[in-house]
């Protein structure tokens, strides 16, 4: 029983780390892309408050 | 203005981040955490089994609703994007085409968790679905796609590795993933 637990736990921790790292990267890319793309689109409709 | 396009990618990426971190939470609750049952302060195996299953069933049931919801959304928007190619050329290959696959796997996982079937039988298809994910990751790096090719490819490759590695114990029979529940029995 015990080795099974430990093996499962270690693999679980490894999977968690991989998932969290890729999740953080997804957030990072998504957030930076949001700012870049919103800037481009805001120039398309300057009459809604875009100054430039 | 030439670079304007239908851009749903931003929210997709953030939803991906939400889903991956939620999945990590599910892994923690089911595989890593060792529930300590406190009826009399001792760790009685039978009590742990009973309580552990009850707790994990609730967690998995709730998480399954999240996965089903995200899976339906990703499938619907991903199929639309696959058919319409709203992004600039190559980005449709690495993002639009990968998104419905993510939706399919998420929906499959959510439904299996909801029904409560033994997830070991999903081990093979999920491990195989890691292949396109890793291929897209390498592809992004090789062709320098996105403004952050290193981060974007790392995101794909790490996710692919997580899909691949998480199946190894299942295939070996070390870790039964019957809706992530049976593992808690052994704690």
């Amino acid at each position: 029983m015990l080795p099974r637990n430990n093996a499962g736990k270690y693999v679980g921790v490894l999977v968690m780390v991989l998932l969290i790292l890729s999740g953080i990267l997804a957030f990072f890319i998504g957030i930076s892309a949001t700012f870049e793309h919103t800037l481009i689109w805001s120039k398309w409709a300057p009459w809604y408050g875009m100054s430039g | 203005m030439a670079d304007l396009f239908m851009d749903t990618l931003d929210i997709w990426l953030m939803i991906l981040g939400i889903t991956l971190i939620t999945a990590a939470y599910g892994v923690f609750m089911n595989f890593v955490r060792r529930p300590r049952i406190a009826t009399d302060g001792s760790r009685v195996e039978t009590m742990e089994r009973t309580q552990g299953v009850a707790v994990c069933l609730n967690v998995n049931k709730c998480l399954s609703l999240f996965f089903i919801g995200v899976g339906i959304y990703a499938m619907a928007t991903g199929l639309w994007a696959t058919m319409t190619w709203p992004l600039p050329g190559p980005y449709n290959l690495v993002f639009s085409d990968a998104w419905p696959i993510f939706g399919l796997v998420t929906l499959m996982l959510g439904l299996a968790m909801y029904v409560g079937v033994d997830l070991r039988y999903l081990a093979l298809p999920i491990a195989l679905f890691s292949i396109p994910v890793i291929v897209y990751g390498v592809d992004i790096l090789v062709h320098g796609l996105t403004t952050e090719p290193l981060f974007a490819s790392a995101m794909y490759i790490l996710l692919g590795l997580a899909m691949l590695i998480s199946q190894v114990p299942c295939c070996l029979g070390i870790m039964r993933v019957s809706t992530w529940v049976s593992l808690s029995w052994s704690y």
Side-chain angles (χ1 to χ4, degrees):
Chain A
M1 250 337 180
L2 200 62
R4 190 170 108 171
N5 289 348
N6 287 337
K9 187 175 180 179
Y10 294 140
V11 175
V13 169
L14 184 59
V15 171
M16 264 183 66
V17 169
L18 291 172
L19 286 173
I20 289 172
L21 280 177
S22 49
I24 289 170
L25 286 172
F27 265 119
F28 175 75
I29 300 166
I31 290 167
S32 55
T34 299
F35 283 105
E36 286 174 24
H37 298 160
T38 306
L39 177 67
I40 299 167
W41 273 104
S42 64
K43 290 173 186 166
W44 183 72
W47 51 87
Y48 283 126
M50 174 68 190
S51 57
Chain B
M1 294 296 163
D3 49 358
L4 282 179
F5 50 88
M6 295 285 287
D7 191 0
T8 49
L9 187 60
D10 312 338
I11 192 67
W12 288 356
L13 284 166
M14 286 189 273
I15 288 172
L16 178 65
I18 292 166
T19 310
L20 295 182
I21 290 171
T22 306
Y25 167 71
V27 171
F28 172 76
M29 292 298 284
N30 287 278
F31 296 123
V32 178
R33 177 192 66 137
R34 290 174 185 269
R36 295 185 180 277
I37 305 311
T39 49
D40 59 351
S42 64
R43 300 192 61 192
V44 182
E45 191 68 22
T46 48
M47 279 303 296
E48 280 197 353
R49 285 180 183 176
T50 311
Q51 291 285 63
V53 169
V55 168
C56 284
L57 272 179
N58 281 335
V59 169
N60 291 336
K61 206 80 163 177
C62 290
L63 288 182
S64 73
L65 297 177
F66 169 81
F67 285 125
I68 289 170
V70 169
I72 291 170
Y73 171 79
M75 276 275 282
T77 53
L79 286 174
W80 163 78
T82 299
M83 286 185 263
T84 58
W85 271 41
L87 301 174
Y91 294 93
N92 289 297
L93 296 171
V94 294
F95 289 115
S96 298
D97 292 351
W99 185 240
I101 301 301
F102 164 76
L104 177 70
V105 172
T106 309
L107 185 60
M108 194 168 66
L109 197 62
L111 286 173
M113 287 167 71
Y114 186 80
V115 175
V117 296
D118 193 336
L119 293 186
R120 278 182 305 169
Y121 302 112
L122 287 179
L124 182 65
I126 288 180
L128 292 174
F129 271 124
S130 72
I131 295 171
V133 177
I134 294 172
V135 167
Y136 282 140
V138 175
D139 193 29
I140 288 171
L141 191 63
V142 167
H143 294 106
L145 298 176
T146 79
T147 54
E148 306 279 358
L150 191 63
F151 286 155
S153 66
M155 178 190 75
Y156 272 72
I157 292 169
L158 290 176
L159 175 58
L161 286 178
M163 292 166 72
L164 206 57
I165 289 170
S166 64
Q167 309 308 319
V168 171
C170 302
C171 294
L172 294 177
I174 296 170
M175 193 164 67
R176 291 187 63 202
V177 197
S178 52
T179 57
W180 292 349
V181 167
S182 62
L183 196 79
S184 63
W185 289 13
S186 55
Y187 284 147

